[in-house]
Amino acid sequence: QVQLVESGGGLVQAGGSLRLSCAASGFTLGYYAVGWFRQAPGKEREGVSCISTGDGRIFYADSVKGRFTVSRDNANNVAYLQMNSLKPEDTAVYYCAADNGPLGFPCTELPGTYDYWGQGAQVTVSS
């Protein structure tokens, strides 16, 4: 059964840190680009970061650049999003997703290209 499961969300004060994990089962995550998205109440889902297969492209939205770091551990079929210096405007449900595009192809921040999605993890940043 193909599945992506996020973990690591929670409540944190502004300036704090969280690390989200995205564990894949039923497929080899290393063959997929991984994207991280978030959706706040009343807003559209936005691309936060993505990481390509191999040594390909890494993308960060301007709003998180310098604060968030995406990584992957292909040996353990897991991807991560390290979030530092969190702000109240980072509050949202965060989703990871996997894109079965050509190996090495640049990842994209467009949600429509992704094949598998996790269930989401709530991140709440208090001021």
Side-chain angles (χ1 to χ4, degrees), residues 39-127:
Q39 189 164 18
K43 294 188 177 182
E44 292 187 354
R45 189 170 297 189
E46 66 165 328
V48 172
S49 180
C50 72
I51 181 168
S52 303
T53 56
D55 294 325
R57 179 191 187 220
I58 288 179
F59 162 82
Y60 296 103
D62 287 344
S63 57
V64 307
K65 203 170 292 183
R67 300 188 297 122
F68 289 14
T69 303
V70 64
S71 62
R72 62 193 306 157
D73 179 355
N74 291 337
N76 289 297
N77 234 25
V78 181
Y80 300 99
L81 185 68
Q82 177 68 43
M83 305 184 294
N84 298 329
S85 302
L86 282 162
K87 305 175 181 179
E89 51 264 43
D90 294 319
T91 295
V93 178
Y94 283 71
Y95 300 89
C96 67
D99 174 12
N100 187 21
L103 289 178
F105 201 75
C107 64
T108 172
E109 63 273 27
L110 301 176
T113 63
Y114 286 81
D115 301 290
Y116 305 131
W117 288 82
Q119 82 288 355
Q122 177 68 47
V123 171
T124 303
V125 184
S126 63
S127 58

Side-chain angles (χ1 to χ4, degrees), residues 5-20:
V5 177
E6 296 102 340
S7 60
L11 172 65
V12 64
Q13 288 188 331
S17 299
L18 286 172
R19 187 177 78 159
L20 300 179

